[in-house]
Every structure is written in structure tokens, then in C-alpha cells.
Amino acid sequence: MKKQSFLYGATVLAAASILCKIMSAALKIPLDRLFLHEAGIGAYQSAYSIYNVILAICVTGIPIALSKLIAESDDKEAASLTKSTFVFVTGASSLLGVLLFIFAEPLARFLSGGGEAVAAPGLRVLAIAFPFMGIISSRRGYFQGKSTMTPSGVSQLAESLAKVIMGIGVCALTYKMGTSYGVAGALSGVSIGAVCAALVLEVAFRRAKAEKGQASLSKAWKVFKFSLPVTLGAFAFTAVMLLDTLSVPQILSRIGVAEAERGKLFGYLTRANTIYNLPATIITAFTASAVPALVYTAENKEKLSETATRVIKLVFLVALPCALGMMLFPQELLLLIYSSTAHWQLMVLVGIMVLIMPYIQTTTAMLQTLGRTWVPIWISLGAIVLKFVLNIVFMNRFGVEGAVLATVTAFLIAAIINTVLLLRVTPLKGGARIVIKLVLCALISCGGAKILYSLTGGTLMLLVSVCLAAVMYLVLVIITKCFSKEEFKRG
């Protein structure tokens, strides 16, 4: 099996991740606009949030842990680790799938805040995907451990294509039978996508003619134990989505919001989060390949400081124009994408999240890379607990917007603490000065776009203004020397 360079592999996975998120948005937006609308997309997201937790563990944490262990092992040990992971994950995820299928109805009622079990058929459809998690996690971990990223990237794309095509296609056939059937039809694409990903990976695994190993409980426990901090470190936004899924309808119910309105309000929140997802994914994809460079410079304090500063600059380079665009054009973006400006205030708050959440994920990964494995995880868990408390306080006062305001407040505190900890490990020389420059560049370019758009209005001028803002921003970044030519050459 041919190994790929680190840069090539990181590029393959980053490109696949970005394309998958684009396709995911391509799924949710037409589902929302054409078939499910506010209440239906809310039920879709509530069911998908449950599935997403298992996905984060099986498809993110475990493959990363397995890949690191395989990279340090010989072929015989790698085969045993892979087989153990496959058996353990398949057994555990299959059991969870059975439980989800059996208890779909009461869980769906809980997710709706005590109302109708609209999401129940969708949850049962998602349960079908669970037994395939063992193949996905073990095969991706194996290939990534062998520095062969193409099978993982291809499987992600196959999964997303199937999810989009089948999700929209089946939903188009079932939505007229009722919202719950439409939601189940849309979610069938998720399960079919998981099956396709598993097939692609299994075919690639068999072609690689990998050595066959023996399953071992101790090996499975070794992988799971190693995956725990990795999973929790990358779990922030998934945990936020799950917490909102479990708490927002319940809180809305307790403050007297009717059942039909609860579904719609959660749908508006889902719309804002869908738009958030794309820039956040691009930011983390850009920074993910930069973070491992810290390992190679850890012994040299000066180079470590330069690398850490460059990673932080990358976060804000991409995040600032995205965040300001969402904050300055909330109604225009919602009208363009969803033909509705209802609860546009959510977009403004989600714009702030675009600055905070990717920064949290990046600094958490940086701290873990530099030996502070558990401290940033406890900080994120503390932020999640604080968010839950603030959800109750803020939603009583501000309604559904309070849920996003709670996220912003709790994770802003976490971001400050992460920054203090990072500065204790390594100084970020010139970091604050560069971030201020980037803020000014983003304000000038996005502010100019807002002024230009306000003179004429219209969809065409919105697109022209955004494109001109992007060009102006890049020009200003170069003129103000926020990034040097050497940094661009190093990548």
C-alpha cells in the first residue's frame, strides 16, 4: 500500500470535509424550502443530533486514536488493533441501534418537548446505520494510520452524495404523507450514505490485502481509552447541538409556547446552525493541518511560538469575514437561502459563534498537542454546563435567541481561559497586533459591501457586494502584511 505525504493527506481530508459540508447544506436547504419547512426541519435536526453523537465517537474520535496507534505498530499489531476496533464498535453501535429503534417513540416525544412523536420514524430509520459504524471507524483508522488518506476521503464523498440524492429523492416521495414520513424519508439518505461509506471502505480494505488479526478486549479498550480525549476535544459544537436538541423544546414548553410553535422555533434555530456549519468547517479544515506542525517545533521555543501564532492567525483570517458577513447581512442571507427573514437575530448571534467555536476547537487541539490533554476538555465541559444553565435563564427572557446567546456567553469565557493557558505554554508573539489588523481589514471590506448594497439592493447586488468584499479583504490582508510571503510558501 502506497503511503501519501502528510501535506497531501491533509489536503485530501480537508477537501473532502469541505465538499461534504457543502453537500450537507445542499441537502438541508432544499429539504427545508421545498418539503419540510420550519417544523419539519426542526424534527429532522432533533433526530440527526442523536445520531451525530454516535457519529462523533465512531467516525471522528476512534479513527484518529486507531490511526495513531497503528502508525506506531508493526503489521501484526496493526491487524489486531483494527480487528478489535471493528468487533467492539460493531457490537456497541448495533446495541445502541436496537435500543434507538425500540425507544424511538418516547425519545421523539421528549425531543418535541412533550408533544407528538414526529421524529420517531426518522429515529428508526437512523438506527439502520448503526451496525455499519464498526466498518467505517476501523477501516478509516487503519488507512489513516498507514498514511493513506484517499479511501477515507472517497468514503466521505460517497456517503455525502448518497445522503443528498437519496435524502431529497425519498423525502420528495414521502412528505405528502405527513411531516413524520417526510422526515423519515430525508433521514433515510443518512442511513444509505453510511452503508455506501462502509462498502467503499470495505472494498478498499480487502484490496489492500491487510494482514488478518485477532480481536482482543484489551486492544479494543486501548483504542477506546486513547480516543476519549480526542473525541471530547472535538466534541464542543456537537455537544452544543445535542444540548439544544434536548433542552430547547423542553424550556419552550415550560415557558408556555404551544407545540406547533415549538417545532417552528427549533426549525429557525436549525436554519441558523446550518449556515454556521459551512464557514466553521472550512476554518477547522484549514487549521487542522497546521496544528500537527506544533509537534515538530515543540523543542524549539521560538519556532513553537511562530507556529502557534500562525495557527491563531489562520483561524481569524477565515473566521472574521464570514462572521461579519453573517452579522451585517442576516436578513439578506436568510431571504436568499430560505425566502424568509423570521428570527433573523439568530443569524447575528451565530455570526459571533463563527468566531468563538472554531477558535475553541483549534486552541483545544493545540493545548492537547502540547501536552495539556485533559485541561481544555474540562474547560469545554464546564462551558457546556454553564450553557445549560444560561439556556434556562436567557430563553425565559429572549425566547429561542437565548439558546444561541447562552452558547456565545459560555464559550467566550472558555475561549478566554484557553487563551490564558496557551500563553502559559508558548508566547504568541505579535498575535494580538495581527488579529487587530485582520479585524480592521474585515470591518473595512464587509462595511464597504454593506454600504454598496444599501445603495441599490437586490439579490444580484448582494452577490456582487460579497464578491467585492472578499477581493478587498484579501488585498487589505496583503497590503497590511498580516501574512508574509514566507508563511504562504510554508503553507
Side-chain angles (χ1 to χ4, degrees), residues 74-188:
D74 57 26
D75 287 345
K76 187 176 180 181
E77 178 73 2
S80 181
L81 287 165
T82 304
K83 184 65 177 288
S84 301
T85 301
F86 166 72
V87 172
F88 171 74
V89 175
T90 300
S93 60
S94 297
L95 177 61
L96 287 172
V98 170
L99 292 173
L100 182 62
F101 194 92
I102 294 169
F103 295 105
E105 195 123 348
L107 178 58
R109 272 197 293 272
F110 176 80
L111 293 175
S112 68
E116 290 184 29
V118 177
L123 289 168
R124 290 195 176 102
V125 166
L126 285 175
I128 298 167
F130 280 45
F132 295 93
M133 293 299 164
I135 295 175
I136 295 171
S137 61
S138 63
R139 282 22 175 180
R140 280 183 182 169
Y142 174 81
F143 284 120
Q144 288 165 209
K146 294 293 184 180
S147 297
T148 306
M149 307 299 179
T150 302
S152 292
V154 172
S155 70
Q156 286 181 41
L157 292 173
E159 181 178 8
S160 292
L161 276 171
K163 183 166 74 172
V164 171
I165 295 168
M166 298 306 298
I168 292 174
V170 179
C171 183
L173 296 173
T174 59
Y175 83 101
K176 289 183 180 179
M177 298 163 63
T179 302
S180 60
Y181 291 101
V183 170
L187 288 168
S188 69

Side-chain angles (χ1 to χ4, degrees), residues 371-395:
R372 305 298 193 272
T373 304
W374 284 98
V375 173
I377 291 172
W378 294 122
I379 292 166
S380 291
L381 290 174
I384 291 164
V385 173
L386 178 58
K387 175 191 159 47
F388 175 68
V389 175
L390 293 177
N391 264 11
I392 298 169
V393 175
F394 289 163
M395 285 182 66

Side-chain angles (χ1 to χ4, degrees), residues 70-396:
I70 284 176
E72 299 165 356
S73 306
D74 57 26
D75 287 345
K76 187 176 180 181
E77 178 73 2
S80 181
L81 287 165
T82 304
K83 184 65 177 288
S84 301
T85 301
F86 166 72
V87 172
F88 171 74
V89 175
T90 300
S93 60
S94 297
L95 177 61
L96 287 172
V98 170
L99 292 173
L100 182 62
F101 194 92
I102 294 169
F103 295 105
E105 195 123 348
L107 178 58
R109 272 197 293 272
F110 176 80
L111 293 175
S112 68
E116 290 184 29
V118 177
L123 289 168
R124 290 195 176 102
V125 166
L126 285 175
I128 298 167
F130 280 45
F132 295 93
M133 293 299 164
I135 295 175
I136 295 171
S137 61
S138 63
R139 282 22 175 180
R140 280 183 182 169
Y142 174 81
F143 284 120
Q144 288 165 209
K146 294 293 184 180
S147 297
T148 306
M149 307 299 179
T150 302
S152 292
V154 172
S155 70
Q156 286 181 41
L157 292 173
E159 181 178 8
S160 292
L161 276 171
K163 183 166 74 172
V164 171
I165 295 168
M166 298 306 298
I168 292 174
V170 179
C171 183
L173 296 173
T174 59
Y175 83 101
K176 289 183 180 179
M177 298 163 63
T179 302
S180 60
Y181 291 101
V183 170
L187 288 168
S188 69
V190 177
S191 290
I192 294 167
V195 174
C196 289
L199 286 172
V200 168
L201 287 163
E202 187 60 27
V203 169
F205 186 72
R206 289 177 182 274
R207 284 183 176 176
K209 296 179 180 177
E211 187 174 328
K212 295 180 180 179
Q214 295 295 316
S216 160
L217 187 60
S218 62
K219 294 283 195 308
W221 173 246
K222 184 179 180 181
V223 174
F224 178 75
K225 187 171 67 173
F226 197 69
S227 75
L228 199 57
V230 178
T231 303
L232 291 174
F235 199 54
F237 186 66
T238 302
V240 166
M241 290 294 294
L242 178 63
L243 180 59
D244 280 345
T245 297
L246 297 175
S247 66
V248 168
Q250 299 291 330
I251 296 169
L252 290 172
S253 177
R254 289 183 181 182
I255 62 177
V257 178
E259 183 183 340
E261 187 63 18
R262 289 199 300 269
K264 286 185 177 181
L265 288 173
F266 192 73
Y268 294 133
L269 180 61
T270 298
R271 285 178 174 179
N273 285 330
T274 298
I275 297 173
Y276 159 87
N277 245 322
L278 182 56
T281 301
I282 294 170
I283 296 161
T284 49
F286 268 101
T287 57
S289 59
V291 170
L294 293 169
V295 175
Y296 301 104
T297 57
E299 300 302 320
N300 187 320
K301 289 186 177 180
E302 188 174 337
K303 286 186 177 179
L304 176 62
S305 175
E306 287 178 8
T307 305
T309 303
R310 189 152 57 102
V311 175
I312 298 299
K313 283 159 59 176
L314 273 170
V315 174
F316 286 103
L317 175 72
V318 186
L320 277 163
C322 295
L324 282 172
M326 293 169 74
M327 293 164 70
L328 291 174
F329 296 95
Q331 292 172 292
E332 292 84 357
L333 287 170
L334 283 172
L335 195 63
L336 178 67
I337 298 170
Y338 294 113
S339 299
S340 169
T341 60
H343 291 271
W344 60 267
Q345 296 88 347
L346 284 167
M347 281 286 288
V348 177
L349 293 167
V350 165
I352 303 172
M353 273 177 57
V354 168
L355 285 174
I356 296 172
M357 298 304 287
Y359 179 81
I360 283 282
Q361 285 183 282
T362 302
T363 51
T364 294
M366 289 170 74
L367 287 165
Q368 288 182 319
T369 303
L370 296 172
R372 305 298 193 272
T373 304
W374 284 98
V375 173
I377 291 172
W378 294 122
I379 292 166
S380 291
L381 290 174
I384 291 164
V385 173
L386 178 58
K387 175 191 159 47
F388 175 68
V389 175
L390 293 177
N391 264 11
I392 298 169
V393 175
F394 289 163
M395 285 182 66
N396 272 283

